[in-house]
Structure formats: structure tokens, C-alpha cells
Amino acid sequence: MSTPSPTPPATIADWLGQAARQRGNAAAYIDADRSHGWAEVDAASDRMACGLMGLGLQRGDRIGVLALNQIEWLWLFYAAAKIGVAVVALSVRYRDNELATMLSDSQTRAVFTLAGHEGFDFIAMFARLGPQLPALRHVIAIGGIGLNSLDALAATPLEAGRLSAARRRVSAQDVAMVIYTSGTTGRPKGAGLTHLSLLASAAAQAAHTRVGDADLIHLANPLNHVGGITCGVLTHLVGGGTIVLVPEFKADRLVTLMQQHRPTIVAGVPTMLTLLLMNPRVDRVDFSAVRLVFSGGSNVDAVLLERLGRQMPNATLMNLYGLTETSGAIVMTPWERTAEDLMTTIGLPFAGAQLRIAGPNGEALPPGAVGELWFKGVGVVPGYIGAAAGAGFSADGWLQTGDLGLVAARGVITLKGRKKDMYIQGGFNVYPAEVEALINRHPQVVMAAVIGMPDPVMGEIGRAYVIARPGSGLNEAELRRWCAEHLADYKVPRQVLLREALPMTPAGKIHKAALRDELAGEAPAGVIAGG
């Protein structure tokens, strides 16, 4: 009689416990030149979990984490997962407008935050936001000192019995992470990523990319994004290997880290990889051990792939496609593929993922027809939380991505653009409706329209067309400052054009197609996005 295969772990905590037992002191993460083994991370997050329970947090609650890619982020993530608390993933680029909306919608009870970053005082900002967030009970500094700091929480004595009881109550269907992604209305929507959906996506990617204990990857994709938490952290939790945490993407810093720790896998959004290759010191990195390079976050960039192939000749190149709502990757280039497939398609869905190319009424279209990509299966979240609950899915449960594409007879998918107006700057989704709503709040603005325009480094950047109140004296610099005060920096339009009028449709709406036609008719300017 054959021995039945063991049941895979059901929760993130179960996977971490298995990794700690099987890999022990092997390096899981390298942060600021310090190596953290699997057993150490498991033990540290046990104590942190007890600290969270000491704050009164329990299964079903939510905490916000606003930090860079650092070991403290992961301690909190694993600790929360162990007791059924969901992490609301926040970015250091967010400002009051976004944070107030997200924390209120998610009913976040505690926020763990950097005290400040690049001159911005987050502690002071949360103090200002306090009256708007009645559910928020604790704001705890990462890297601070004293009782109200993460260090104090990390020193909590282990209560093994209480922790064990809390862990038994956690289900694979529990939400482990909430990531906000703006909708077409401009209001952020909180996707509820469960233990099950996150691990399904991670396991599929780990199997596809053949990740193992000998692998090493530098993770610059932010942990508050599926590109960081799933395509990086959880894929290697399942498959093995070491992650070098890159606090935030800076090409020169990444080159230095790659010189110190030789990679076997290189990954990132196209903007990161483009800037990496542009760095004058990149030729000093030993890429001879790199076996796999994959790029995700936007459409296929054939020029970038060719450059990566020249720089890393021993590597297999792949494209990756995924969404917040798929918990991570759901489509990748297969190992056996043609050059044309690599350069023109995003690849094949993972095993267990269902794909429909949907027509205007949701009907399935045949191969070769362009329609909206709909998914079920691997990694697809159950839905959104908060105000957006029930949105984004068809009546029969398909995730409606908003991306247009076609499937060839052999199954590979070619993206054909986005159904809505969203554009991608440097790997980050930007929804014009959100930016327009903010610009229209300026007291001297009459009307605004935002579109994406091509950029050789960032992929796309934003251009805002604005009608100002007559005689206001409003200028581009003032509008950019206004946006920068209230929005993440990647959402701030890089170009602002003041106009006396905008093209309108017969229905009285701004005619964005006409603006795009105008842009297409302009002579190429060779714009390079600034910092």
C-alpha cells in the first residue's frame, strides 16, 4: 500500500512552522547585513503575536503596517497571521487622504509605523487623523523607544498555551492581508487576501519557478504589494531559499547588495529592472549564477527582456502577470516557449486557474478574439472588504480584471491594454479618477482630466489637463504641490497642462479619447521622468 502524501500546511503560520522545523537556522532573510534564520523568525513572531494579543487584538481584527522592506514588517505579518489578525498593507508614499480612507474602511485597530521617512512625520500625521478614526486604538512606532514601541512589543514574554489556543482558531479562509487598490470611482477598494488565496498563488509560483533552498533573490518590490509579499516572501516560504530585503528601490543600493550577495533569481517591475541596467556599476555584479529573471507589473517589454538576456546570459527569461485580486501571480511564461511567445505574450495561466475571455455581456469568446480577462481559481480572492464588498466579480463568481487580451489557440495570452483608464507608473497602478477627484478639490480648479502617457523609464506617467478659474493665477507647480500633499508620489502627474477648454462628448463628459488622440499626434519628446 502506498503511503498517502502529507497534507500541505493550511495557514501561513503552519508553513512558517514547517519551514522552521525543516530549515532551522538556514538564512531566510538578510536585512541590513544581518541574517535571520527560519527558526529565529518563527520564534520572534511567536513573541510578537503574544504582544499583539496583549494589546487586545484577536481573530478578525486588523492592524496597519507602514514600513519599508525590513524584518520588523515580516515579524508583524507572521505574528498577525498566527492569531487570525489581518495586516492592512500601507505604503510610506501614502499621505493623509489615502490613509484616512483605508484605515476607516478597514476599521483598523492598531497601526505600526515608521516615525518618519524622508522628512515626513508619520506619528504627527496619525495624531492629526485620530479624530477621524474612532476604531484606531494604538499607534506604535517601529524603531522607536519606550513602552509604545515595537521593540517593547517584541520583548513580550511567550505565553505558549494562549498562543496555541489562538492559532487553533485560525482558518485558511481567514483574511490575512488587506491591500487597497483604487477603483474606477477613485475610492480605494480593499481586497481581502486570505491565507488560502495567498498560499495558493505562492505555491503555484514556487512550483512553476522551481524555487529551492539554494536560491537567493533581492526583494525590492514593496511588501505592501503582492509583488513583494506573495511573489517574494510567500513564494520563498513555500519553496525555500534566501531573501535579501531591499528597504526601498534605489538602483545604486541594489547593485551594492547584489555585489555582496550573488543572486540566483532576479525579479522586479520593468521600471526597477530598467534602472538597474542603467546603473553605471551594474557590470560589476556577478550575474553568472542567475538562473531565472522575471518581470511583472505591466505589459511585455521586449526591449527590456533583450537587455536582461544580454546582461544575464545564463538565465531563463519570463513574464509575470498578476493582480492584487489574484493575490499575486496567476500567469507566467512557460519554460518551453518560443521567442515570439516571450516577447509578445504574458504566458499561460497556472495549473488550477480558470480563464475566460469575456465579451460585452460576460460571454466566453473564442481563441483570437479580444475581450476582458476574467479569472477563477488559484489565488483569486473571495472579494473586497468594507464599502467595496460585492464589487468586481460577475454574478457567477469570475474576477473581472478590467484588462483586455486575447488567447491564442495554443493558450498563451496577449494583453491588449486596459479596459478602463488606469495606467501603470513604475509598476504602480494609477487610477485617473482618484487623481482627478483630488485636483478638482483645489479651490482654483474648474475641471480636470488625467491620462497616462508613455515614458521610456517609468513605462507611463500621468498628464493632467486642467481648467483653472479665470484670474486665479494657478500654475503647474502649485497643482503638483497640491497633489504631493495628499497623494502618493507615484500618483502625482508629472505633467500639468493648463487649458481654457477641454474636448467634451455629446453627453457632456470630458472626451478622453480626443485627449489621447492629441497626445498621439505630438512629436516624440523623449521625456525622461524625474524623481
Side-chain angles (χ1 to χ4, degrees):
M1 178 182 294
S2 61
T3 302
S5 58
T7 302
T11 68
I12 291 166
D14 292 341
W15 268 108
L16 180 59
Q18 176 174 285
R21 291 189 300 273
Q22 294 180 350
R23 303 172 198 154
N25 295 323
Y29 307 105
I30 297 173
D31 179 29
D33 297 324
R34 182 182 168 190
S35 177
H36 301 269
W38 291 101
E40 176 200 336
V41 173
D42 190 35
S45 57
D46 274 353
R47 293 189 297 274
M48 191 76 74
C50 292
L52 294 179
M53 289 191 292
L55 295 175
L57 296 164
Q58 57 188 337
R59 181 181 178 219
D61 286 336
R62 291 159 188 158
I63 62 171
V65 178
L66 193 160
L68 302 175
N69 286 7
Q70 55 195 99
I71 194 63
E72 294 88 350
W73 206 110
L74 295 175
W75 287 342
L76 283 164
F77 174 73
Y78 286 129
K82 287 178 175 182
I83 61 172
V85 169
V87 168
V88 179
L90 306 172
S91 170
V92 295
R93 296 183 171 197
Y94 292 159
R95 294 297 181 260
D96 56 351
N97 190 58
E98 296 133 322
L99 289 167
T101 299
M102 294 172 184
L103 296 177
S104 175
D105 183 68
S106 61
Q107 293 293 287
T108 293
R109 293 193 59 197
V111 167
F112 298 84
T113 178
L114 296 179
H117 180 61
E118 295 185 346
F120 190 85
D121 189 333
F122 285 108
I123 299 296
M125 182 201 65
F126 282 118
R128 292 194 302 272
L129 292 179
Q132 303 175 44
L133 302 169
L136 185 61
R137 294 284 185 262
H138 308 279
V139 176
I140 296 175
I142 297 173
I145 58 174
L147 294 177
N148 198 33
S149 71
L150 190 66
D151 284 349
L153 206 68
T156 302
L158 180 64
E159 298 180 73
R162 186 183 181 194
L163 178 58
S164 179
R167 286 186 58 167
R168 287 194 296 270
R169 291 191 287 269
V170 179
S171 161
Q173 284 74 34
D174 286 349
V175 173
M177 194 164 182
V178 177
I179 299 179
Y180 277 87
T181 176
S182 297
T184 56
T185 63
R187 181 180 178 85
K189 295 185 296 183
L193 287 67
T194 65
H195 290 253
L196 180 64
S197 71
L198 285 163
L199 291 169
S201 176
Q205 182 180 329
H208 181 76
T209 56
R210 304 170 185 173
V211 166
D213 290 338
D215 279 314
L216 184 143
I217 185 172
H218 296 78
L219 187 60
N221 286 324
L223 295 175
N224 62 283
H225 186 278
V226 292
I229 196 64
T230 313
C231 299
V233 169
L234 294 178
T235 293
H236 289 269
L237 172 67
V238 171
T242 301
I243 291 177
V244 179
L245 295 170
V246 183
E248 56 186 333
F249 178 77
K250 304 286 185 185
D252 207 56
R253 175 62 174 155
L254 180 56
V255 167
T256 297
L257 288 171
M258 286 181 161
Q259 288 177 305
Q260 294 171 352
H261 308 284
R262 193 169 66 156
T264 67
I265 299 175
V266 173
V269 299
T271 302
M272 291 179 183
L273 296 175
T274 298
L275 293 173
L276 172 65
L277 294 182
M278 290 172 59
N279 188 274
R281 296 194 299 123
V282 72
D283 289 335
R284 302 179 192 174
V285 177
D286 179 2
F287 289 116
S288 62
V290 176
R291 66 173 186 84
L292 177 66
V293 181
F294 61 86
S295 173
S298 67
N299 210 337
V300 178
D301 187 333
V303 173
L304 173 61
L305 289 171
E306 290 174 351
R307 291 174 178 169
L308 289 167
R310 289 195 296 270
Q311 192 74 44
M312 305 169 201
N314 298 328
T316 297
L317 303 176
M318 291 186 181
N319 294 302
L320 177 151
Y321 171 88
L323 305 163
T324 301
E325 294 87 349
T326 60
S327 303
I330 197 167
V331 174
M332 285 191 78
T333 305
W335 289 88
E336 300 297 328
R337 43 74 175 164
T338 65
E340 181 183 4
D341 285 346
L342 173 66
M343 297 299 181
T344 63
T345 80
I346 56 173
L348 294 169
F350 287 148
Q354 301 174 56
L355 168 66
R356 174 187 291 179
I357 302 297
N361 299 311
E363 71 279 12
L365 299 178
V370 175
E372 185 178 359
L373 303 182
W374 287 14
F375 288 102
K376 276 185 178 180
V378 174
V380 174
V381 301
Y384 298 101
I385 69 158
F393 289 79
S394 68
D396 52 349
W398 288 89
L399 169 66
Q400 300 165 306
T401 69
D403 286 324
L404 298 174
L406 63 82
V407 177
R410 62 190 183 282
V412 290
I413 305 167
T414 300
L415 284 182
K416 289 295 185 180
R418 290 168 291 280
K419 188 177 180 181
K420 303 297 182 183
D421 295 329
M422 182 266 287
Y423 60 94
I424 299 176
Q425 176 170 309
F428 292 94
N429 293 356
V430 183
Y431 293 82
E434 181 184 10
V435 184
E436 290 160 357
L438 188 278
I439 294 175
N440 284 329
R441 282 172 46 193
H442 193 288
Q444 303 303 328
V445 168
V446 175
M447 188 182 301
V450 176
I451 63 173
M453 60 181 293
D455 181 85
V457 173
M458 304 303 290
E460 293 172 290
I461 59 174
R463 172 186 279 187
Y465 296 84
V466 178
I467 300 175
R469 295 190 183 279
S472 67
L474 187 64
N475 57 40
E476 174 184 351
E478 165 60 23
L479 282 169
R480 281 177 49 81
R481 278 196 299 271
W482 170 261
C483 292
E485 288 173 0
H486 302 286
L487 294 172
D489 55 1
Y490 62 85
K491 299 178 185 177
V492 177
R494 298 297 179 97
Q495 294 188 7
V496 177
L497 302 183
L498 292 166
R499 294 287 178 87
E500 293 184 0
L502 293 173
M504 309 295 286
T505 68
K509 298 181 180 180
I510 297 174
H511 199 341
K512 286 195 173 182
L515 293 176
R516 293 192 186 94
D517 289 342
E518 176 185 320
L519 175 64
E522 293 177 3
V527 177
I528 300 292

